[in-house]
Amino acid sequence: MNASVPGVRPEKYIIICWNRYFMKALVLMEKGKLSLEEVPEPKLEEGEIMVRMRACGVCGTDIEKVKGEAITPPVLGHEAVGEVYRVSNGVKDIQPGDRVFAHHHTPCYSCDLCKKGEYTLCEEFPRHNIRPGGFSEFYAVPRWNVERGAVLKIPDNLDYELATFVEPLGCCLRGLNKLWFEGAEKAVIYGAGPTGLIFLKLLKMKGCGVIVADTSEYRRIFASKAGAEYAFDPRVKEAKINALDSLRGKPEVAVVATGSTAAFTDAMETVSKGGRILIFGSPPQGSKASIELPTVFLKGLTILSSYSTSEIEINIALKMLSERKIELQDLITHKFSLDEAVKAFDVAMDQKCIKAIVISS
Ligand SMILES: [Zn+2]
Ligand SMILES: [Zn+2]
């Protein structure tokens, strides 16, 4: 208990929390050390809602945060869904008992970037977040998010487990919109983790032939089952040649759904002339890649990036999931209770896992 808030003296801590209930939450104690702790329930301010977490997916960016390599805000768990538990004054159209997904980041909708549709680049976007995070019994959604349409009601026909994909699917849809161009028929994806495989399914829906690169055999087998023309180990030259043969030509688009610099460099070499490369997996702090400018110039490459998702895509994602326009249940390979949340991270860091989710009953 005393250790749950580093730097705060226990006696002071107790005074701050005397009138609040305690709940379980996953806390990042120090670099690389996670612990399930008893922490004070978040205090609701006017216009906020409290959600009882029912399910929350472990994202690659959560893992980067634990490793101390993250470039995004330090809150753990943003693929959370649950049931509204309490509503404070000033909240309209949301009631206790509603099944919801609450987007953790929300833009201002009035700055120059927002006016251009670059919502995820808005300065305000990463400043607002659920408290204390998705891996906790309860979390509060800030008024900023509530007032800006970030709380979506989950239809009855969509279960909580599948609804954890609203955010990651939204991220992939935003990335696909940037990357895709009419006439592209061949694609390569680097990284067969959850988002790489969501991209695989979305690109297949576009009628695309897709090859997938991953260093993990487990994930390659998974990608083949999920519809990849060929899944190859990018370190093995022969395997890459076979993959390109199966595609009958070079891919026009590449998704780098991993933070690996080597994957990005390989994508530049692998795509066809006029090819597009999407940097999608969050690159770890300090990562650098050397770009051969003559290659970019002579091949006419376009290098794109896509960070996070906006309310536009999460609404589409929720609709696609509830109407079964995309099937993602197979990607959930591991489930854990909140008490086992630390283990969920251990497993998610292992390459023999696709999506690990934490469930709270
Ligand atoms: Zn995520
Ligand atoms: Zn803005």
Side-chain angles (χ1 to χ4, degrees):
M1 176 59 244
N2 294 350
S4 63
V5 179
V8 176
R9 282 167 45 213
E11 58 274 26
K12 196 174 169 190
Y13 186 49
I14 289 160
I15 294 165
I16 296 166
C17 313
W18 70 275
N19 61 346
R20 286 158 71 184
Y21 294 104
F22 285 81
M23 62 170 195
K24 288 176 197 162
L26 193 63
V27 176
L28 187 55
M29 307 290 279
E30 58 198 58
K31 188 177 170 180
K33 195 167 182 308
L34 279 173
S35 178
L36 193 74
E37 296 286 324
E38 290 282 327
V39 304
E41 196 186 84
K43 192 168 173 282
L44 276 198
E45 305 289 342
E46 197 172 311
E48 297 190 328
I49 65 166
M50 176 107 77
V51 180
R52 181 197 286 265
M53 188 272 279
R54 292 298 191 194
C56 184
V58 180
C59 176
T61 57
D62 290 321
I63 293 170
E64 284 188 349
K65 283 166 196 174
V66 176
K67 287 181 179 169
E69 297 170 345
I71 52 170
T72 49
V75 174
L76 290 178
H78 55 269
E79 298 174 2
V81 288
E83 190 183 297
V84 176
Y85 182 69
R86 203 180 295 148
V87 167
S88 71
N89 288 339
V91 175
K92 292 180 207 127
D93 306 324
I94 301 171
Q95 268 98 42
D98 284 350
R99 302 166 75 244
V100 295
F101 161 78
H103 194 195
H104 63 308
H105 290 332
T106 314
C108 74
Y109 292 111
S110 56
C111 72
D112 287 348
L113 285 161
C114 281
K115 282 178 192 157
K116 287 180 203 152
E118 294 285 8
Y119 304 112
T120 65
L121 304 182
C122 170
E123 295 292 336
E124 291 292 338
F125 185 74
R127 284 193 189 138
H128 309 273
N129 214 325
I130 56 173
R131 309 190 303 273
F135 300 108
S136 51
E137 279 180 90
F138 298 93
Y139 52 91
V141 183
R143 180 180 186 164
W144 174 276
N145 302 38
V146 173
E147 286 181 346
R148 283 169 177 76
V151 181
L152 273 57
K153 287 181 192 165
I154 301 170
D156 290 342
N157 67 340
L158 184 62
D159 65 40
Y160 284 126
E161 289 184 16
L162 211 43
T164 60
F165 282 110
V166 169
E167 199 272 346
L169 176 57
C171 292
C172 295
L173 289 170
R174 188 167 183 82
L176 190 73
N177 270 342
K178 293 188 175 199
L179 177 72
W180 185 255
F181 63 94
E182 204 56 53
E185 292 172 344
K186 302 178 187 83
V188 58
I189 297 168
Y190 289 84
T195 53
L197 295 171
I198 294 174
F199 265 109
L200 168 63
K201 295 189 182 214
L202 291 172
L203 285 160
K204 295 293 291 181
M205 285 162 74
K206 292 266 192 198
C208 215
V210 188
I211 53 172
V212 177
D214 202 296
T215 52
S216 151
E217 191 189 4
Y218 172 88
R219 289 188 164 189
R220 288 199 299 275
I221 293 169
F222 214 97
S224 295
K225 277 193 203 146
E229 259 56 48
Y230 202 100
F232 65 103
D233 184 339
R235 299 166 299 185
V236 182
K237 209 174 168 190
E238 192 69 17
K240 190 173 160 186
I241 293 167
N242 291 341
L244 289 170
D245 282 351
S246 75
L247 211 52
R248 293 196 188 93
K250 289 194 161 198
E252 298 116 329
V253 293
V255 181
V256 185
T258 158
S260 157
T261 312
F264 171 71
T265 313
D266 201 84
M268 294 216 303
E269 183 194 302
T270 308
V271 290
S272 65
K273 280 189 167 182
R276 293 187 184 189
I277 299 152
L278 180 74
I279 301 173
F280 182 81
S282 163
Q285 256 176 40
S287 38
K288 285 179 186 153
S290 72
I291 298 176
E292 271 192 49
L293 291 179
T295 307
V296 176
F297 182 72
L298 292 173
K299 281 181 81 173
L301 300 182
T302 305
I303 298 165
L304 299 152
S305 65
S306 187
Y307 159 61
S308 201
T309 179
S310 78
E311 267 50 85
I312 295 173
E313 298 90 17
I314 58 167
N315 274 287
I316 298 170
L318 182 64
K319 200 162 183 291
M320 282 177 78
L321 287 164
S322 50
E323 291 176 359
R324 302 295 187 275
K325 292 269 163 59
I326 187 164
E327 196 46 75
L328 298 178
Q329 187 71 44
D330 58 321
L331 304 189
I332 302 174
T333 51
H334 296 79
K335 298 179 199 176
F336 299 89
S337 66
L338 184 58
D339 287 335
E340 303 167 313
V342 176
K343 200 174 158 204
F345 271 72
D346 290 341
V347 170
M349 280 184 210
D350 184 22
Q351 296 290 294
K352 287 188 177 149
C353 167
I354 301 295
K355 192 68 171 175
I357 65 168
V358 169
I359 302 164
S360 181
S361 49

